[in-house]
Amino acid sequence: QSTWGLVSMAASQYKLLKRKENAHSDSIWAVVWTADDKIVTGSIDGTICVWDPKELALERTIQAHDLGIISLSVQADRLSAQAKRDFVASTSFDSTIKIWDTLTGELKRCIEVGPVEAWSCSLSRTGSHVAAGTNTGKVNIFNTETGVLESTLDTGADFVLSVMYSPHHTTDVTMGDFIAAGTHSGVVFVFDVANKTSRKLEGHALPVRSLSFEPDGGVLRTACDDTHVNAYDVVSSGMLSSVAAHASWVLAVQHDATSMRFATASSDKEVKIWSSDQSNQLLHTFRGDSGHRDQVWALAFDATSDRLVSVGEDAAILVYETPASHTV
C-alpha cells in the first residue's frame, strides 16, 4: 500500500485511548510492553509499576530501587522458545542492574556495578544476558542467571547513553547477535558480540539517546539531540536516510512489529508515527489534548503494533490506538 494511503487513513485511525495522570510520584523515564500484554513503567521515584493496558489499572507496584530508574528492557526476541517472557531488566542511579519477574514482583537477580556503570540497558534475545552502557565508553555484558560480568565492549568514545541488542534475524541466518551503542558525542557503534568487532555509524554530533532495530535486525534507527532520526544499514554501515523529526531533542525511537512504521518522542512534548520506507512520511502527531504536557522520555508498541504507550516528565502514561492492519 502507498505511503499516501497510510497518511489518508491516519486521521481517523490514530487516536488517544487512555491517559493516566500522576501514574508515579515523579517523572517516568522508562516503559516496556511485555509479551503477556502488560505495560511496565519505571520512574525517578524508584518504583516499577505493572499496568493493565485496557484501563491503565495498576496491578502491581514494586519498590525496585533506592534511587531513580533510568531504563527498562524486555528481551529482544519475544518469540524465542527460551525467552523469559515476563522478565524485565532495570537500571538505576543506585548503581544496580536488577532482573524482575513482573508477574510476581520477585527480584531474580541484583547486579551491583560502579557509579554510572549502568545507564541504559538491553536484554539479549533470550534474556540470558543484559548489556549496559557506562560513562567510560564501554558496554558491559552480564549473565542474568549468575550476575557475572562476562564481556566488555569498548567504544573508545565517551558516555554510552543508549544500548540495544539486535532482535532475531530473519533475513540472514548467518548474522549473530549485535549490540548497538549510542554515545554522548553522537557516534554510534555496532558490535558483533561473538568476535567483539565493531563498526562506526556517523552522522550525528550530539547525544544519541535511543536506538531501535527493525524486527529483522537489518536496519538501525537512532534518536539524537540534533532533532534528527537517522537510519543505517547494519551490515554496510551506510546511512539510508535522515529525517528532521522534531523541534527539539529526540528522546526515543521505536519500530513496530511490521517494519513499516516507527514512532518517535521528544522534549517538544510530541509523539509521532512515521512510515519507515525511504520517504519517512509523517503519518500522525499526538500533541495537545492527545499528548503529553512535558517532554516524552520513552515509547513502546504492543506485540501487535496496534497500540503504543508513551511516558514522560509529566508522570503520565498515554496509550494510543495505532492500528497496524492498514499498513499491510
Side-chain angles (χ1 to χ4, degrees), residues 246 249-253 263-267 270-272 296-299:
H246 288 270
W249 299 355
V250 189
L251 301 176
V253 60
T264 59
S266 169
S267 56
E270 295 183 350
V271 171
K272 296 183 177 183
V296 189
W297 282 112
L299 298 162

Side-chain angles (χ1 to χ4, degrees), residues 190-267:
V190 177
F191 289 92
D192 184 313
V193 177
N195 58 31
K196 296 188 179 181
T197 59
S198 67
R199 293 186 289 279
K200 185 184 294 187
L201 309 181
E202 296 181 311
H204 295 297
L206 291 175
V208 174
R209 299 186 183 272
S210 180
L211 305 161
S212 180
F213 284 96
E214 286 193 354
D216 68 3
V219 173
L220 175 71
R221 278 188 167 82
T222 58
C224 182
D225 283 7
D226 63 11
T227 75
H228 283 67
V229 173
N230 292 351
Y232 297 90
D233 183 290
V234 172
V235 175
S236 71
S237 304
M239 186 189 297
L240 302 173
S241 66
S242 181
V243 59
H246 288 270
S248 187
W249 299 355
V250 189
L251 301 176
V253 60
Q254 178 77 38
H255 286 100
D256 77 358
T258 71
S259 295
M260 296 187 69
R261 299 174 302 172
F262 63 95
T264 59
S266 169
S267 56

Side-chain angles (χ1 to χ4, degrees), residues 125 166-178 192 199 213 216-219 233-235:
R125 285 187 262 172
S166 59
H168 183 61
H169 299 290
T170 59
T171 58
D172 186 350
V173 295
T174 66
M175 296 169 67
D177 278 328
F178 289 102
D192 184 313
R199 293 186 289 279
F213 284 96
D216 68 3
V219 173
D233 183 290
V234 172
V235 175

Side-chain angles (χ1 to χ4, degrees), residues 105-181:
E106 179 185 359
L107 175 63
K108 305 298 291 186
R109 175 64 57 187
C110 178
I111 303 169
E112 296 191 8
V113 297
V116 205
E117 285 294 298
W119 193 253
S120 174
C121 71
S122 178
L123 280 167
S124 65
R125 285 187 262 172
T126 63
S128 61
H129 292 82
V130 61
T134 78
N135 67 334
T136 57
K138 295 179 174 62
V139 177
N140 291 326
I141 302 174
F142 299 89
N143 185 301
T144 56
E145 290 289 340
T146 65
V148 171
L149 174 63
E150 292 193 351
S151 181
T152 296
L153 308 173
D154 193 350
T155 67
D158 56 357
F159 203 141
V160 175
L161 288 173
S162 50
V163 294
M164 181 63 63
Y165 260 100
S166 59
H168 183 61
H169 299 290
T170 59
T171 58
D172 186 350
V173 295
T174 66
M175 296 169 67
D177 278 328
F178 289 102
I179 293 177

